[in-house]
């Protein structure tokens, strides 16, 4: 990875703007992946007799008429950049550019910029009249070596017109300034995409908040017997919240990142305000800031709701666990009662078994005594049998007790 790491600093070089030029950049969302971009680039390259780029390429450049065409792939969008000669008048028609009727867009157009770099002699009141005064931004940049004029409105071609008056910039300064201004327009548009996601999620979050408030009120005022049904309700709310959070996770993160890029590019302009006009930085921060803060607010509400739902779920689960423990305690008490009954029954059976076994033993002894008496021995069978009864009872009782102790051990 060393070669890629070292080469990353040179991965996106500026297109050198040698003097007064016209720049058009279109940014498209890459819903179809790199395949669509590659097809569009291949068609453009073949029309100019140039070999198309590889599918793995992240940028491609070729000559187009009197200017330069450049393509770059970014994380979720791609940019098509062209710089060429200026028209005769500001905002005039453009000749020989790549974005004509034969151009096939690779995806959804998200940003379109028309930037004209002109000389100091073209600055004047007529220039400012071409922009909407309600949103006109006019400031000096690059240590007062350039001026920027725009109103962030789209013209009839759907492009955002920006005019840079060059009063003495070098080629590198001019190229860097053009890139920063285009980045501001592109990334500020991408940053606002999160606002629409936030506006879509707000009613859902409100419904979840109301549902959570209702559940907590029921937890407060009702018995814990409904804890299981309440847990089902809160689980549905949590699932709905997490689905929305997962769907908006990337968009909100991208909004924050794009907004930081916009602020960084604005800071690098080092704007100086012109009396009576608003700077690009103040204009964008006043309008873009609330949109980004709305996204951050919705993201914060999602995180806060997730914590509250988690705490409510833990409380309900504690109630359910307590109910289960109480049920288990009741079951164990019932089992203990049954065990006591079984023990009593066992003792009763043991007493009966002593009598029954002793009865059979005495019977055997009686048969034995009768046999001896009939054999001529001087022995009364009835007396001998009577004497054996208590002895048999004691012996049988001792044997059964010993067996029970052995089982207990």
């Amino acid at each position: 990875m060393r070669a890629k790491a070292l080469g990353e600093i040179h991965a996106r070089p500026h297109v050198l703007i040698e003097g007064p030029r016209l720049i058009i950049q279109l940014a498209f969302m890459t819903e179809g992946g790199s395949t669509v971009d590659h097809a569009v680039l291949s068609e453009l390259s073949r029309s100019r007799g140039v070999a198309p780029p590889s599918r793995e390429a992240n940028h491609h450049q070729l000559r187009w008429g009197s200017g330069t065409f450049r393509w770059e792939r970014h994380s979720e969008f791609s940019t098509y950049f062209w710089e060429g000669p200026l028209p005769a008048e500001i905002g005039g028609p453009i000749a020989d550019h790549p974005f004509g009727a034969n151009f096939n867009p690779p995806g959804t157009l998200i940003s379109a910029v028309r930037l004209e770099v002109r000389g100091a002699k073209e600055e004047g009141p007529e220039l400012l009249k071409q922009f909407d005064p309600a949103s006109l931004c006019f400031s000096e940049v690059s240590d007062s070596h350039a001026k920027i004029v725009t109103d962030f409105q789209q013209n009839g071609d759907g492009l955002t017109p920006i005019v840079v008056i060059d009063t003495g910039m070098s080629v590198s300064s001019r190229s860097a300034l053009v890139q920063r201004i285009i980045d501001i327009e592109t990334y500020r548009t991408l940053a606002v995409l999160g606002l629409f996601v936030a506006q879509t999620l707000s009613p859902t979050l409100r419904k979840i908040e109301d549902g959570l408030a209702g559940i907590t009120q029921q937890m407060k005022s009702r018995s814990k017997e409904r804890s299981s049904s309440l847990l089902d309700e809160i689980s549905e709310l949590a699932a709905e919240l997490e689905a929305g959070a997962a769907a908006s996770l990337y968009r909100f993160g991208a909004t924050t990142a794009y907004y930081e890029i916009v602020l960084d590019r604005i800071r690098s302009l080092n704007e100086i305000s012109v009396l009576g006009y608003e700077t690009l930085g103040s204009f964008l921060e006043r309008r873009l800031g609330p949109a980004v803060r709305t996204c951050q607010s919705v993201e914060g509400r999602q995180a806060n709701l997730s914590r509250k739902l988690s705490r409510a779920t833990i409380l309900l689960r504690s109630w359910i666990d307590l109910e289960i423990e109480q049920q288990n305690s009741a079951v164990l008490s019932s089992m203990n009662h049954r065990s006591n009954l079984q023990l009593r029954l066992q003792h009763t059976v043991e007493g009966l078994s002593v009598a029954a076994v002793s009865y059979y033993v005495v019977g055997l002894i009686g048969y034995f005594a009768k046999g001896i008496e009939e054999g001529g021995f001087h022995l009364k069978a009835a007396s001998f049998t009577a004497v054996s009864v208590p002895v048999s009872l004691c012996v049988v009782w001792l044997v059964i007790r010993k067996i029970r102790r052995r089982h207990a051990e």
Side-chain angles (χ1 to χ4, degrees):
M1 301 297 291
R2 179 174 181 271
K4 291 184 178 180
L6 293 176
E8 183 63 26
I9 196 173
H10 307 290
R12 303 187 188 279
H14 303 312
V15 174
L16 295 180
I17 309 299
E18 300 291 345
R21 301 290 278 180
L22 170 67
I23 294 95
I24 295 178
Q25 177 172 291
L26 307 182
F28 298 93
M29 302 298 286
T30 53
E31 299 97 341
S34 60
T35 305
V36 181
D37 271 324
H38 186 265
V40 174
L41 289 171
S42 298
E43 184 178 350
L44 291 173
S45 298
R46 292 191 186 99
S47 68
R48 293 288 156 170
V50 178
S54 64
R55 293 184 181 274
E56 294 76 21
N58 291 324
H59 54 83
H60 181 58
Q61 183 169 313
L62 55 89
R63 294 293 300 173
W64 192 285
S66 301
T68 303
F69 171 82
R70 181 179 176 84
W71 165 82
E72 284 190 16
R73 177 188 294 140
H74 300 261
S75 57
E76 63 171 337
F77 67 97
S78 59
T79 57
Y80 291 73
F81 176 101
W82 177 77
E83 63 87 19
L86 281 170
E89 57 183 17
I90 297 176
I94 311 167
D96 194 19
H97 61 86
F99 308 117
N102 294 327
F103 178 74
N104 295 317
T108 304
L109 179 66
I110 192 63
S111 173
V113 183
R114 172 180 173 143
L115 190 150
E116 298 183 34
V117 180
R118 293 185 173 269
K121 63 180 180 179
E122 301 193 52
E123 179 185 359
E126 294 300 322
L127 170 63
L128 301 181
K129 289 180 180 179
Q130 300 187 34
F131 296 91
D132 183 4
S135 58
L136 177 61
C137 298
F138 183 29
S139 61
E140 296 182 358
V141 296
S142 299
D143 298 326
S144 299
H145 291 152
K147 295 179 181 179
I148 303 176
V149 184
T150 184
D151 57 3
F152 293 104
Q153 302 282 355
Q154 279 68 56
N155 61 17
D157 296 324
L159 304 173
T160 302
I162 303 172
V163 176
V164 174
I165 302 299
D166 185 359
T167 58
M169 288 188 295
S170 63
V171 173
S172 59
S173 298
R174 186 185 306 113
S175 304
L177 176 63
V178 166
Q179 188 62 52
R180 289 176 188 137
I181 296 173
I182 292 176
D183 285 349
I184 289 173
E185 174 62 16
T186 302
Y187 288 116
R188 69 101 176 176
T189 309
L190 288 164
V192 175
L193 291 180
L195 175 64
F196 310 122
V197 177
Q199 291 171 341
T200 303
L201 290 175
S202 290
T204 303
L205 290 177
R206 184 61 182 171
K207 185 184 73 172
I208 295 174
E209 289 169 345
D210 293 341
L212 178 59
I215 290 174
T216 52
Q217 286 298 322
Q218 293 182 58
M219 292 168 59
K220 177 182 176 182
S221 59
R222 299 190 180 186
S223 64
K224 302 180 180 64
E225 296 176 356
R226 292 194 66 250
S227 56
S228 180
S229 61
L230 291 177
L231 182 61
D232 292 339
E233 294 177 17
I234 207 169
S235 297
E236 291 179 3
L237 293 179
E240 189 173 6
L241 174 66
E242 293 304 323
S248 62
L249 178 65
Y250 175 80
R251 190 74 269 154
F252 286 163
T255 292
T256 301
Y258 292 141
Y259 183 56
E260 291 296 327
I261 293 175
V262 171
L263 294 181
D264 179 71
R265 299 296 188 270
I266 290 173
R267 286 191 294 267
S268 64
L269 290 178
N270 295 321
E271 285 186 285
I272 301 173
S273 61
V274 176
L275 185 62
Y277 299 98
E278 195 171 12
T279 63
L280 274 71
S282 62
F283 178 86
L284 289 176
E285 192 156 358
R286 189 154 49 86
R287 288 163 173 79
L288 187 58
V292 175
R293 284 191 289 273
T294 299
C295 298
Q296 294 171 346
S297 173
V298 170
E299 193 173 19
R301 286 173 66 190
Q302 287 176 333
N304 193 29
L305 266 177
S306 180
R307 289 192 295 268
K308 290 181 178 179
L309 286 169
S310 179
R311 288 199 296 267
T313 302
I314 291 172
L315 180 58
L316 285 173
R317 288 191 181 278
S318 300
W319 288 2
I320 293 174
D321 291 342
L322 181 59
E323 291 176 7
I324 292 174
E325 288 180 3
Q326 291 174 347
Q327 293 173 1
N328 291 340
S329 178
V331 171
L332 291 174
S333 298
S334 176
M335 292 175 62
N336 188 37
H337 179 65
R338 288 196 297 269
S339 297
N340 289 333
L341 292 177
Q342 290 176 356
L343 182 60
R344 291 179 183 178
L345 180 61
Q346 182 181 352
H347 289 166
T348 302
V349 171
E350 287 176 357
L352 295 175
S353 63
V354 169
V357 173
S358 299
Y359 173 79
Y360 286 110
V361 171
V362 170
L364 292 174
I365 293 174
Y367 287 122
F368 178 71
K370 288 178 182 179
I372 293 177
E373 183 179 5
E374 291 178 0
F377 292 93
H378 298 286
L379 177 66
K380 291 183 177 181
S383 300
F384 185 78
T385 302
V387 172
S388 66
V389 170
V391 176
S392 298
L393 286 171
C394 292
V395 171
V396 171
W397 180 77
L398 290 172
V399 171
I400 290 178
R401 185 182 179 187
K402 185 176 182 180
I403 293 172
R404 188 174 65 188
R405 285 183 175 179
R406 185 177 298 172
H407 287 171
E409 292 175 356

